[in-house]
Amino acid sequence: MAADTKDSNISKLELHNLPGGPHTFELAMKFCYGMNFEITPANVAHLRCAAEYLEMTEDYTEENLIERTEVYLNDVVVQSLEKSVEVLSTCEMLTSIAEEVGIPSRCIEAIAINACKEQLASGLSRLDCDGESTELKSGCIEWWIEDLSVLKIGYYQRVICAMESVGVRPDSIVASLMHYAQASLKGIGKCQIWNPAKAKPRPILDENDQSRIMEALVSLMPTGKSSFVPLNFLFGMLRMAIMLDATIACRLELERRIAFRLEMVSLDDLLIPSVPSGDSLFDVDTVHRILVNFLQRIEEEENVECGYESEGLGSPGHGSLLKVGKLIDAYLAEIAPDPYLSLQKFIAMIEILPDYARVIDDGLYRAIDIYLKAHPILSEHDCKKLCKFIDCQKLSQEACNHAAQNDRLPVQMTVRVLYFEQLRLKSTLSGSSGDGFLSQRTSSGVPSAAMSPRDNYASLRRENRELKLEISRMRVRLSELEKEQMYMKQGMVVKSGNGKTFFTSLSRGIGRIGIFGSPAGGRTQKSSRKSRGSDGKPGRSRRHSVS
């Protein structure tokens, strides 16, 4: 630089953008004048880049600073996962010259290879840790997970991709992602996805940085079916994605992963609070999309399966659907008291599930009853529109008793309940097993010869599923009737000593069912659904609400 200058009397040179700054330049000068200092993982990257900037090559002297730092990188740094992580973290403060000399790429490759070696050696560690606590086992196997949390998201993303390429276990990668998320994202630690005591505090990031970290972590999640990401972590990430207004692709990917195991989700997980600008207290739209993805997955699985015996109530897909049906009914009951929940969203959550997702409609009836109670200003038309989703033939005895006396239901709904209860009583007294209901529900499903073979198969599969569901409902009815028969026998034994006839005892037993008879016993109520107390005012003391 002195030789190239035009000013022969130059007394000052300026070194712009020297890697590592004045401290690294001082170490380089000590090297030139033979003064001792130690090369460490904390300064080797700066020294290597400064030596490149200052052109300290072998052309000027043997074992110059470039050669000395390269020896240290190859013999010390890349042999250790911990030292490679430390050197890589120092490269984040350097300029692009670090990439030119290849320090980050060598450290990333070394981290991935050493992690793979640790994975191979951990087989014996797993055996040694057998019988120990889970915390001890995870600590003795995956100690490097905490070290990676010091990296910025750019280098961390490259490290995880390199680990996947060399074959590091997906569960170890998931554990690392969970720990990194807790250390980097505010609020994610509330999900207790990792040990909070081990999380290193990091500076608070703005929402843009957190959103970028969120999207990167979601893109790094393993895709194999054998590498399940914990559901509480997925829901924690989804809540953060909603709060940070992450990209649509990021949110849809989280929703898709949750939908893949929706039958394992708890009710508390689904109660996602809505953003402040939302029109309800809960984020119903997100749950609706998750449910749509789940139903698409069930449909795809059914299309792949072959043979009639694989369909119906006993198939794994339908078992998952029944679990999700109960879960959604419980979810509907939880969000029903929300005064800001629109009728359209509530109905959309109800009608998306097929009829065969519910063996009985008690949960659905309870949710609708709560919604009607919390929204008393609904019009008669809206009440009818909502109650049409309840199948009166799929209500239990207790739910029918409650519906028959429920003033919130439309009159047509109450009449239907009473009608089907009358048919059920008639069938019970005549000793029928309910074949009439079964024949009515299945007579319309005979496949036509004019249908295509594919449509024929779909129709048969649907009818087979409905038949098995009807059998399940009949088992529920049978258990209820057995209880009622026991009550009637007890009543006959008690009344036989007082000269009561068999038919009188039988009528008392039927009165216990409480559909038409009063709770007190033999006195018959009027057809009106409203009862009055002793003071002449309308009273509800004899009723109990499911809600």
Side-chain angles (χ1 to χ4, degrees):
M1 291 175 65
D4 292 342
T5 184
K6 297 179 180 179
D7 187 2
S8 58
N9 297 324
I10 187 171
S11 59
K12 181 180 179 182
L13 291 175
E14 292 186 4
L15 302 177
H16 298 284
N17 300 323
L18 177 70
H23 178 69
T24 303
F25 180 75
E26 181 181 357
L27 293 179
M29 293 305 99
K30 286 183 178 181
F31 176 82
C32 290
Y33 288 97
M35 301 174 65
N36 291 331
F37 68 93
E38 184 180 4
I39 299 178
T40 65
N43 62 25
V44 64
H46 294 83
L47 285 172
R48 175 65 182 86
C49 294
E52 187 74 18
Y53 179 91
L54 296 172
E55 301 178 6
M56 300 174 70
T57 64
E58 299 298 296
D59 296 337
Y60 297 99
T61 181
E62 293 183 359
E63 295 187 0
N64 211 333
L65 188 55
I66 291 180
E67 178 66 19
R68 294 286 294 274
T69 53
E70 283 291 335
V71 169
Y72 185 85
L73 286 171
N74 295 329
D75 294 349
V76 179
V77 174
V78 300
Q79 305 301 323
S80 167
L81 190 152
E82 189 175 2
K83 288 184 173 62
S84 299
V85 172
E86 185 177 356
V87 172
L88 183 60
S89 63
T90 62
C91 293
E92 295 168 346
M93 306 301 297
L94 297 172
T95 58
S96 58
I97 191 171
E99 294 289 349
E100 294 177 7
V101 299
I103 298 177
S105 59
R106 280 184 284 176
C107 290
I108 290 170
E109 183 181 1
I111 293 171
I113 293 176
N114 286 313
C116 193
K117 291 179 181 178
E118 288 288 336
Q119 171 182 288
L120 295 176
S122 67
L124 295 176
S125 299
R126 287 182 183 272
L127 296 177
D128 294 339
C129 290
D130 253 0
E132 302 291 340
S133 65
T134 305
E135 183 178 355
L136 177 61
K137 185 182 293 188
S138 61
C140 70
I141 296 173
E142 294 156 349
W143 55 267
W144 48 266
I145 289 176
E146 186 179 356
D147 294 341
L148 295 184
S149 63
V150 302
L151 299 174
K152 294 290 182 64
I153 188 60
Y155 282 146
Y156 179 79
Q157 194 170 4
R158 292 170 60 181
V159 167
I160 295 299
C161 292
M163 285 184 171
E164 290 178 343
S165 64
V166 298
V168 175
R169 283 193 307 266
D171 58 334
S172 298
I173 292 177
V174 170
S176 178
L177 292 174
M178 293 165 61
H179 186 69
Y180 191 91
Q182 185 176 357
S184 305
L185 301 175
K186 61 181 180 181
I188 206 73
K190 296 179 181 178
C191 301
Q192 297 182 355
I193 55 177
W194 196 257
N195 189 352
K198 294 184 177 181
K200 294 182 179 179
R202 297 189 64 172
I204 301 299
L205 304 174
D206 59 24
E207 290 191 357
N208 291 332
D209 289 338
Q210 287 197 329
S211 180
R212 186 167 59 90
I213 292 173
M214 164 75 61
E215 294 162 8
L217 293 179
V218 172
S219 67
L220 291 173
M221 290 181 182
T223 57
K225 291 185 178 181
S226 60
S227 57
F228 283 144
V229 183
L231 282 169
N232 60 341
F233 176 63
L234 289 176
F235 274 103
M237 294 287 283
L238 181 58
R239 287 183 172 90
M240 285 294 299
I242 295 172
M243 285 170 35
L244 298 174
D245 195 20
T247 60
I248 296 177
C250 174
R251 293 177 58 176
L252 291 180
E253 175 62 19
L254 289 169
E255 293 170 4
R256 185 191 67 81
R257 288 177 176 270
I258 292 172
F260 189 78
R261 290 177 290 156
L262 186 57
E263 64 272 17
M264 305 177 187
V265 172
S266 66
L267 177 59
D268 291 338
D269 291 331
L270 289 182
L271 298 176
I272 304 172
S274 179
V275 293
S277 60
D279 56 353
S280 61
L281 299 179
F282 301 99
D283 195 339
V284 182
D285 294 333
T286 296
V287 178
H288 187 271
R289 288 194 299 269
I290 292 174
L291 189 55
V292 169
N293 285 328
F294 169 78
L295 294 175
Q296 289 177 350
R297 191 255 294 182
I298 293 295
E299 184 179 358
E300 291 173 359
E301 290 178 355
E302 288 185 350
N303 291 335
V304 170
E305 292 175 351
C306 298
Y308 302 108
E309 295 300 325
S310 63
E311 300 296 334
L313 193 65
S315 64
H318 191 259
S320 300
L321 189 59
L322 291 177
K323 292 180 181 178
V324 171
K326 293 181 180 179
L327 175 66
I328 295 302
D329 287 347
Y331 175 75
L332 290 170
E334 286 292 328
I335 67 174
D338 180 8
Y340 304 104
L341 179 61
S342 65
L343 180 64
Q344 290 74 19
K345 286 188 177 183
F346 193 71
I347 289 179
M349 287 297 300
I350 295 175
E351 64 183 359
I352 188 175
L353 278 177
D355 179 69
Y356 53 85
R358 297 180 177 94
V359 176
I360 59 175
D361 276 6
D362 284 19
L364 179 60
Y365 167 71
R366 177 175 179 267
I368 291 177
D369 184 44
I370 296 174
Y371 188 85
L372 293 176
K373 185 177 181 180
H375 301 78
I377 61 173
L378 283 179
S379 64
E380 186 73 15
H381 174 73
D382 290 338
C383 291
K384 293 179 182 178
K385 184 179 180 181
L386 187 58
C387 291
K388 74 177 183 179
F389 295 102
I390 302 174
D391 187 349
C392 298
Q393 299 183 58
K394 294 167 65 175
L395 292 178
S396 68
Q397 186 70 55
E398 182 183 359
C400 286
N401 293 342
H402 185 274
Q405 304 177 68
N406 193 345
D407 294 337
R408 291 184 288 271
L409 299 181
V411 178
Q412 293 84 347
M413 174 68 184
T414 306
V415 171
R416 288 206 309 270
V417 171
L418 295 175
Y419 171 73
F420 286 113
E421 279 302 294
Q422 188 178 12
L423 291 180
R424 185 185 302 167
L425 275 176
K426 182 179 179 181
S427 176
T428 302
L429 294 176
S430 63
S432 173
S433 61
D435 294 337
F437 282 150
L438 182 62
S439 60
Q440 289 177 9
R441 295 178 67 87
T442 59
S443 60
S444 61
V446 179
S448 171
M451 298 172 63
S452 65
R454 182 175 180 179
D455 293 338
N456 241 341
Y457 171 72
S459 177
L460 288 172
R461 184 176 63 183
R462 182 172 57 256
E463 295 306 323
N464 186 29
R465 182 157 42 199
E466 290 179 358
L467 285 171
K468 292 187 178 182
L469 278 172
E470 192 66 33
I471 293 173
S472 299
R473 283 192 287 270
M474 286 184 176
R475 288 173 180 170
V476 175
R477 300 296 189 198
L478 181 59
S479 63
E480 293 177 355
L481 291 175
E482 287 175 350
K483 293 180 182 178
E484 295 300 330
Q485 184 183 14
M486 181 183 65
Y487 292 148
M488 287 189 286
K489 286 181 178 179
Q490 292 175 354
M492 286 189 289
V493 171
V494 172
K495 297 298 182 179
S496 60
N498 298 329
K500 299 294 183 181
T501 63
F502 169 76
F503 293 102
T504 305
S505 302
L506 182 61
S507 63
R508 293 283 187 178
I510 296 174
R512 290 177 180 270
I513 301 178
I515 300 176
F516 300 105
S518 63
R523 285 180 291 182
T524 307
Q525 292 182 351
K526 295 182 179 181
S527 58
S528 173
R529 288 178 293 135
K530 296 184 179 180
S531 61
R532 295 184 177 272
S534 60
D535 55 354
K537 296 182 180 180
R540 303 176 61 90
S541 59
R542 294 177 180 174
R543 302 171 190 155
H544 54 88
S545 174
V546 177
S547 61

